[in-house]
């Protein structure tokens, strides 16, 4: 990371690190578009009223103030003020409503963009970072098969990034209806509060979550225990999940003829469908994990967290879920389902643990040498000829000795140095030559036909340590 990037949580990549980030972005975009998703970009700011839809995250929102307004911010309600968006889902909901007449539904969009959160920086967690999202939004309704499609597309995208040193990724899925129905079935009423506390289970442990459920959500010790038992449930398929869930409900005295159980069963059936259908396409890619809660208010159904094998310290690198009521226009709703990759978190891991790096700093494959400033036009003409054929080319900044120009190319990782024609001792023009400074090979060349060897033509990402 760039030295001098002293603002904690605001990463600045060096040029060679930026190459890795760009390659990751290009890889994700190609997979998203392979599945028919459309690219958009939304504005960086939203009204406070929109940003506050996410509930607990409101304390992390960066609000905007003009310099001349300092000291008077409290005169305007937070709902009316502008703030930087902290994810790409809330802006998407506003975008869909405002452009519903021009959008073909279901609307499948990808978006790779910066977001901002005022949280405490730590490993893989930044205050300014890039997210890569895909969402499918319907008009009035949205088929449940998208709740299988979207996580599998993300797994496919993450699988492509394994070439850059990323470990295997697995999506852990749950369903909000299943959790809510069970919580109501054991007598709890502060459902959003319970979900937020259960969402902390991996971070603070079962004992602390139990304490918070009792102190913050009004749960008894037995109710807190029941919530933790639900979170511990796991199963290989939908039928096994149903058996274990029914056994837990019976043990906790949940009325199977009541509305709470019916709600839980609706979520259970969807979760079982997701796990079974995903297993038929990509075995092991999506598993049921009933401790996944996603402590965010707008999720209404399936919820997902994605973890990398052997890198527990990073936490979830891709999360999301189904939301039926986030985007509304009067009585009309636009239900959606989506997942978001923490791209900056992945890049940070790749640059660190995996030791991913660019094969060279400069995108140029060729540096055209300059004999003297009087003949710079000759070098520029060679560069134009090479660029016209799609060969990335730079021209030496100063007419130094040839050895110094070669050293300059080497510092930038440019593999070829083009040596223009000049007059020899007999006053005759020498042949133009190109030197591969990596292999040492030097041959006569014509800018209208010469091409670099494939391995040197473009930059790529190399991984020194894939463990």
């Amino acid at each position: 990371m760039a030295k001098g990037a002293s603002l904690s949580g605001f990463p600045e990549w060096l040029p060679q690190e930026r190459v890795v980030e760009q390659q990751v972005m290009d890889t994700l975009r190609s997979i998203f578009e392979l599945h028919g998703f459309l690219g958009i970009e939304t504005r960086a700011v939203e009204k406070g009223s929109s940003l506050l839809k996410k509930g607990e995250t409101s304390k992390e929102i960066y609000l905007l103030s003009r310099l001349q307004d300092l000291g008077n911010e409290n005169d305007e309600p937070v709902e009316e003020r502008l703030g930087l968006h902290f994810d790409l889902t809330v802006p998407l909901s506003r975008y869909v409503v405002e452009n519903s007449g021009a959008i073909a539904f279901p609307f499948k969009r990808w978006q790779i963009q910066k977001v901002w959160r005022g949280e405490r920086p730590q490993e893989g967690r930044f205050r300014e970072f890039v997210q890569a999202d895909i969402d499918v939004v319907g008009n009035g309704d949205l088929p449940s098969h998208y709740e299988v499609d979207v996580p599998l597309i993300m797994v496919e995208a993450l699988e492509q990034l394994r070439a850059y040193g990323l470990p295997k990724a697995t999506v852990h899925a749950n369903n909000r209806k299943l959790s809510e129905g069970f919580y109501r079935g054991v007598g709890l009423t502060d459902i959003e509060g319970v979900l937020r506390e259960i969402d902390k289970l991996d971070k603070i442990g079962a004992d602390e979550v139990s304490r918070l459920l009792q102190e913050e959500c009004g749960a008894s010790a037995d109710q807190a225990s029941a919530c933790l038992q639900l979170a511990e449930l796991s199963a290989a398929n939908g039928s096994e999940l149903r058996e274990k869930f029914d056994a837990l409900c019976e043990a906790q005295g949940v009325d199977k003829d009541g509305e709470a159980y019916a709600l839980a069963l609706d979520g259970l059936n969807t979760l079982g469908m997701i796990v079974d259908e995903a297993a038929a396409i990509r075995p092991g890619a999506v598993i049921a994990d009933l401790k996944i809660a996603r402590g965010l208010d707008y999720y209404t159904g399936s919820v997902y967290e994605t973890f990398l094998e052997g890198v527990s310290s990073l936490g979830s690198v891709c999360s999301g879920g189904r939301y039926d009521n986030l985007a509304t226009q009067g009585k009309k709703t636009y239900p959606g389902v989506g997942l978001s990759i923490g791209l900056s978190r992945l890049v940070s891991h790749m640059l660190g643990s995996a030791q991913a790096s660019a094969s060279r700093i400069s995108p140029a494959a060729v540096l055209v040498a300059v004999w003297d400033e009087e003949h710079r036009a000759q070098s520029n003409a060679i560069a134009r000829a090479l660029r016209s054929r799609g060969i990335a080319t730079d021209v030496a900044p100063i007419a130094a000795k040839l050895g110094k120009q070669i050293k300059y190319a080497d510092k930038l990782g440019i593999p070829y140095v083009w040596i223009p024609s000049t007059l020899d001792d007999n006053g005759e023009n020498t042949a133009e030559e190109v030197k591969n400074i990596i292999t040492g090979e030097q041959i006569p060349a014509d800018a209208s036909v010469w091409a670099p060897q494939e391995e040197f033509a473009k930059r790529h990402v190399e991984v020194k340590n894939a463990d």
Side-chain angles (χ1 to χ4, degrees), residues 193-432:
V194 174
L195 287 168
R196 281 195 292 269
E197 304 307 339
I198 292 294
D199 192 43
K200 302 172 184 176
L201 193 54
D202 283 339
K203 298 177 184 178
I204 63 177
D207 290 343
E208 183 65 12
V209 168
S210 177
R211 183 186 68 80
L212 290 172
L213 288 172
Q214 295 175 64
E215 294 182 2
E216 303 294 333
C217 306
S220 68
D222 287 343
Q223 288 172 325
S225 176
C227 293
L228 293 172
Q229 288 179 56
L230 177 69
E232 292 171 1
L233 280 188
S234 62
N237 54 60
S239 60
E240 182 185 356
L241 183 64
R242 173 68 181 272
E243 290 176 8
K244 289 185 176 182
F245 180 73
D246 281 346
L248 179 60
C249 286
E250 185 172 347
Q252 295 298 326
V254 176
D255 182 6
K256 292 189 177 181
D257 294 323
E259 292 182 2
Y261 179 79
L263 177 63
L265 187 59
D266 185 11
L268 182 68
N269 289 337
T270 300
L271 179 59
M273 177 272 295
I274 291 172
V275 173
D276 289 345
E277 292 195 9
I281 299 170
R282 192 182 281 268
V286 182
I287 64 173
D289 185 347
L290 274 62
K291 68 176 177 291
I292 302 301
R294 301 290 296 142
L296 308 172
D297 296 347
Y298 60 68
Y299 291 117
T300 57
S302 299
V303 285
Y304 314 94
E305 299 274 12
T306 308
F307 301 93
L308 300 180
E309 192 175 89
V311 196
S312 58
S313 61
L314 272 185
S316 176
V317 297
C318 176
S319 59
R322 172 138 184 170
Y323 45 91
D324 286 340
N325 306 311
L326 183 60
T328 60
Q329 190 175 31
K331 294 183 178 180
K332 184 178 289 188
T333 61
Y334 300 92
V337 61
L339 276 164
S340 172
I341 292 176
L343 190 144
S344 296
R345 185 179 299 188
L346 291 186
V347 171
S348 176
H349 172 75
M350 292 174 185
L351 294 173
S353 299
Q355 296 183 25
S357 62
S359 59
R360 62 178 187 255
I361 299 174
S362 174
V366 181
L367 178 77
V368 181
V370 178
W371 287 119
D372 53 56
E373 292 303 327
E374 290 182 5
H375 291 86
R376 178 172 289 277
Q378 176 190 5
S379 298
N380 287 338
I382 294 169
R384 287 194 298 272
L386 291 169
R387 291 172 189 146
S388 71
R389 297 175 46 239
I391 300 171
T393 305
D394 200 357
V395 178
I398 58 173
K401 292 182 178 180
L402 184 59
K404 287 188 176 182
Q405 296 185 58
I406 291 174
K407 285 183 179 179
Y408 175 77
D410 184 52
K411 189 173 183 179
L412 290 174
I414 300 174
Y416 293 96
V417 173
W418 196 280
I419 304 171
S421 172
T422 188
L423 294 177
D424 62 16
D425 294 339
N426 297 320
E428 297 181 1
N429 285 323
T430 61
E432 291 185 7

